[in-house]
Amino acid sequence: MRLRRGVSEAGRGIWAYVRSAPGTYVWLTVLFVTTVALHHMSPEFEQEFLRRRSTNLHELSRHPVRVLVASAMWIDGGSWLPYVVLYSVFHARAERWLGTARWLAVCAAAHVLATLLSEGALAKAIRDGLAPRSAADTLDVGVSYALSGVVAVLVYRIRPPWRYGYLAGVAVFYTVPLVAAPTFTDFGHFVSFLVGLGCYPLVGGRERVRDPKETAPAPPG
């Protein structure tokens, strides 16, 4: 009886947490459906299917709005379960803090600006002969740019001096790959990190409205 009551209370607590961040869990549900759909495709069809929803140079030049939205609804391989953890730790916390509209604005800004700047850098590299022309069709889907922006904006939710340790850890996480063996995706992650930090105006004083007992989230990895 006691066990049943404990399970029931845990279930109510989980449901209350999910309801407090509706945008996060609607997005996770979409990712679950699209991931299941991908697992039912042949590898060849899957790659072509994702390429048409990719924010590569070819698709961005033809259907920019469509692919910017569609690319954030798919995971390029891998499991859906790690995203449940990442979304619950970072996205849900940010949405509960900022509200759905402001949280979504951070996600959109990070996703769009990081995509455009990283693809712009790739276009320049192709023009300068530093990257092959085939790179214009490179597969580029996923949710990591939006996640990076949200990880960064959560800096403002943490009370000093813990804020500076969290900021240093996140900065190292996104800077080291860019310095060690940079790719255009690494550049995009770094840009989205900076965009998240630049979203301070959306915080609107909410950095002071928090539960001091809550601990800082750890960077994804």
Side-chain angles (χ1 to χ4, degrees):
M1 190 69 176
R2 189 175 299 175
L3 176 61
R4 182 180 299 176
R5 185 165 55 249
V7 171
S8 177
E9 290 176 356
R12 285 196 295 270
I14 292 172
W15 177 237
Y17 190 82
V18 169
R19 285 190 304 168
S20 70
T24 295
Y25 291 100
V26 167
W27 195 358
L28 261 180
T29 301
V30 171
L31 291 177
F32 174 76
V33 172
T34 57
T35 300
V36 170
L38 286 180
H39 287 168
H40 286 80
M41 299 179 188
S42 67
E44 298 79 10
F45 182 77
E46 175 185 330
Q47 291 300 302
E48 182 57 31
F49 180 87
L50 288 178
R51 189 168 287 108
R52 293 198 299 269
R53 288 151 181 81
S54 172
T55 50
N56 57 46
L57 290 172
H58 179 77
E59 293 296 335
L60 274 175
S61 66
R62 293 169 174 256
H63 314 288
V65 175
R66 178 175 67 81
V67 295
L68 281 168
V69 174
S71 63
M73 302 300 155
W74 301 87
I75 300 171
D76 182 16
S79 172
W80 173 78
L81 289 177
Y83 291 91
V84 177
V85 176
L86 292 171
Y87 271 53
S88 297
V89 171
F90 295 102
H91 278 303
R93 191 167 296 187
E95 185 179 1
R96 294 176 69 192
W97 172 49
L98 295 173
T100 299
R102 293 186 185 194
W103 161 77
L104 190 58
V106 174
C107 292
H111 175 66
V112 172
L113 291 175
T115 296
L116 295 179
L117 288 174
S118 61
E119 291 298 323
L122 176 59
K124 186 177 186 306
I126 293 174
R127 287 196 303 271
D128 294 344
L130 301 176
R133 292 193 174 277
S134 60
D137 288 317
T138 301
L139 186 62
D140 185 16
V141 297
V143 298
S144 60
Y145 291 164
L147 179 61
S148 299
V150 166
V151 168
V153 81
L154 282 170
V155 165
Y156 304 118
R157 188 175 186 273
I158 303 168
R159 196 180 299 275
W162 310 111
R163 171 182 298 177
Y164 309 118
Y166 176 77
L167 174 59
V170 174
V172 168
F173 183 84
Y174 289 114
T175 302
V176 168
L178 191 63
V179 174
T183 65
F184 291 101
T185 300
D186 293 328
F187 176 66
H189 287 143
F190 185 74
V191 168
S192 57
F193 161 66
L194 295 180
V195 170
L197 291 180
C199 286
Y200 178 75
L202 291 175
V203 172
R206 296 182 181 221
E207 72 276 14
R208 296 186 294 274
V209 183
R210 61 178 299 276
D211 183 353
K213 295 181 181 179
E214 288 190 323
T215 56

